[in-house]
């Protein structure tokens, strides 16, 4: 077990299986020392636990928890190409999308769920640049989606 996976276990979290692609893309690709994930939905055992717009059918707190799930799914995608999460030198960038009711403006707070998870699990290596964007709708009516760029150490 890697040190990162041991930290996840200490936090009571388990690295999930990689979420299979919903269309014509890969969950993650490596280019040089970087891994880029596809947008990760908050899938749990192949299903979305909640659907709808944040600020309407989904509360901001529920969506923040779902962003944590997205971050766990992103770590699984990174591991699928990096082989070992201990190779993460740092999380470089996180982009979060929040399916938002027209009057919802709390996107940064929602995406904090992902950002806080990376910091809890990776410490200083998990601190990153970020964008949090409100959108009209996401695939499968998911409330949130997160994509990540990670820098790896050498082999």
């Amino acid at each position: 077990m890697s040190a990162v996976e041991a930290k996840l276990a200490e936090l009571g979290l388990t690295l999930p299986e990689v979420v299979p692609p919903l269309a014509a893309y890969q969950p993650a690709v490596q280019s040089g020392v970087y891994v880029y994930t596809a947008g990760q939905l908050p899938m749990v055992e192949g299903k979305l636990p909640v659907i709808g717009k944040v600020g309407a059918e989904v509360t901001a707190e529920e969506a923040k928890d779902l962003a944590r799930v997205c971050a766990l799914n992103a770590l699984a995608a990174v591991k699928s190409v990096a082989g070992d999460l201990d190779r993460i030198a740092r999380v470089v960038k996180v982009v979060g999308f929040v399916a938002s009711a027209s009057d919802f403006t709390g996107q940064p707070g929602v995406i904090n769920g992902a950002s806080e998870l990376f910091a809890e699990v990776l410490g200083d290596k998990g601190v990153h640049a970020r964008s949090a964007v409100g959108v009209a709708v996401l695939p499968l009516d998911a409330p949130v989606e997160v994509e990540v760029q990670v820098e790896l150490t050498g082999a």
Side-chain angles (χ1 to χ4, degrees), residues 26 29-30 57 67 71 85 95 98 113 115 133-134 137 144 147:
Q26 294 297 311
V29 296
Q30 184 174 347
E57 302 88 2
L85 291 176
V95 180
V98 181
S115 294
V133 181
V137 68
V144 64
E147 65 180 54

Side-chain angles (χ1 to χ4, degrees), residues 7-73:
K7 181 64 177 181
L8 285 167
E10 179 184 312
L11 295 169
L13 302 170
T14 305
L15 196 67
E17 294 295 318
V18 177
V19 176
L22 300 174
Y25 63 88
Q26 294 297 311
V29 296
Q30 184 174 347
S31 180
V33 297
Y34 295 99
V35 174
Y36 301 85
T37 72
Q40 300 294 309
L41 299 178
M43 302 291 265
V44 176
E45 297 178 4
K47 299 180 200 142
L48 288 172
V50 178
I51 60 170
K53 306 278 185 290
V54 181
E57 302 88 2
V58 181
T59 69
E61 196 58 40
E62 287 172 316
K64 183 178 179 182
D65 290 342
L66 293 170
R68 287 179 64 86
V69 174
C70 293
L72 278 173
N73 288 339

